[in-house]
Amino acid sequence: MDAQVSAVNRFLGTTTGREKLCRLVQYFARFYAFYLWRQGAPKEVIQRWADLKQHIGNGRKFFRLLKPIEFVQTAIHINGSVKDDIQRVTTIVKHLTNALYYSSEVFVLTTAVGFYRPKAIDKITSFGQRCWFISLFSSILADLYKLRQLNGRALELERGLKTPEGRKDPELQSQEKILTKEVKAAYFQLLQDVVDIIIPAGNLRWLPVDEGVIGIAGMITAWTAMMTQWSKVNP
């Protein structure tokens, strides 16, 4: 029991862990408010969950106030360190559009708390959602490209393992295990990005999805992100 409590504390002791837990609750509230509306629940009950979604969403924005700096710094580092053109461009676009998305959230937050409301807040919000969509789309392209590279490496490794020498080579067997983990991680990231992109696409009305579908998509990606963070702090 003590070990389990310690594991939870390590997870909640990280900003990412707390933020992703809040994300899970926020999107559950979004889904549940829609479910209650479909069931014809009283307006005050629906509003209670809608308010919870809104307040948690605003709280999460405080966690991410300085995120644009982090994304710009990462993009600069990638530009100078990654040699593969496709990987470099898709990753840079992903991080720069993420920086723009989180920058737009600053004005959404100042509007929500009543501190400052820009005249073009609706356009700023829409711009941020478009940037989020582009970021996820770039990430999907990067995921597919990485999987293609990994599959190429897997074919080469498979040919080596088919030889009598290869079957006995511990180095090749070690490479196979590492490659298998990389492929699983790449597919996991691709799945997460494909589900996540439903949210901005739905918010922008580019996909014919309702609040319930968006809520479920958000819960799925929040849970997968939580599992990733849990693995990092509790190896």
Side-chain angles (χ1 to χ4, degrees):
M1 184 65 179
D2 183 61
Q4 293 174 336
V5 172
S6 296
V8 172
N9 285 334
R10 281 193 295 270
F11 174 77
L12 295 178
T14 64
T15 302
T16 300
R18 294 192 301 273
E19 194 270 331
K20 296 308 178 186
L21 178 59
C22 288
R23 189 181 201 263
L24 179 66
V25 177
Q26 176 192 352
Y27 279 96
F28 172 76
R30 186 168 184 172
F31 161 77
Y32 196 56
F34 177 78
Y35 172 79
L36 291 172
W37 175 76
R38 289 289 298 268
Q39 296 298 312
K43 289 184 179 180
E44 59 272 16
V45 177
I46 299 172
Q47 191 60 46
R48 184 186 310 156
W49 286 94
D51 289 343
L52 178 63
K53 174 202 74 173
Q54 186 66 37
H55 292 317
I56 293 180
N58 291 335
R60 288 181 59 228
K61 290 179 176 63
F62 282 105
F63 281 108
R64 307 193 296 260
L65 279 175
L66 299 180
K67 274 285 189 178
I69 300 174
E70 178 184 332
F71 283 119
V72 171
Q73 184 182 29
T74 303
I76 293 172
H77 174 73
I78 289 169
N79 187 49
S81 61
V82 178
K83 295 181 179 180
D84 188 287
D85 290 337
I86 295 177
Q87 187 179 2
R88 183 176 68 255
V89 170
T90 54
T91 308
I92 288 175
V93 170
K94 170 187 173 180
H95 283 85
L96 290 181
T97 49
N98 255 336
L100 290 172
Y101 165 60
Y102 286 121
S103 296
S104 72
E105 276 201 332
V106 174
F107 297 103
V108 177
L109 179 60
T110 60
T111 299
V113 300
F115 179 75
Y116 172 69
R117 179 184 176 86
K119 293 181 180 179
I121 185 60
D122 292 337
K123 292 182 178 180
I124 292 173
T125 303
S126 178
F127 173 76
Q129 292 294 312
R130 290 169 188 267
C131 288
W132 187 13
F133 180 90
I134 295 171
S135 173
L136 288 168
F137 186 74
S138 300
S139 185
I140 290 171
L141 293 179
D143 295 337
L144 292 172
Y145 181 70
K146 184 175 183 179
L147 281 168
R148 181 183 176 184
Q149 289 181 313
L150 291 174
N151 288 331
R153 284 170 52 191
L155 288 174
E156 292 180 5
L157 187 60
E158 185 179 355
R159 285 194 290 267
L161 287 169
K162 285 182 178 179
T163 63
E165 297 80 7
R167 284 193 290 269
K168 299 177 182 178
D169 190 342
E171 178 64 27
L172 288 179
Q173 294 175 357
S174 176
Q175 289 181 22
E176 184 183 28
K177 291 180 180 179
I178 294 172
L179 187 59
T180 300
K181 290 181 180 179
E182 290 183 7
V183 170
K184 288 182 179 179
Y187 273 115
F188 184 78
Q189 184 61 51
L190 176 62
L191 175 63
Q192 188 170 347
D193 289 335
V194 168
V195 176
D196 223 8
I197 205 171
I198 294 172
I199 301 172
N203 290 336
L204 291 164
R205 301 293 185 265
W206 291 353
L207 278 180
V209 294
D210 54 37
E211 287 286 293
V213 172
I214 294 175
I216 291 172
M219 283 191 289
I220 291 172
T221 53
W223 181 257
T224 56
M226 286 174 62
M227 293 301 98
T228 300
Q229 181 64 15
W230 181 277
S231 300
K232 288 180 179 179
V233 298
N234 296 297

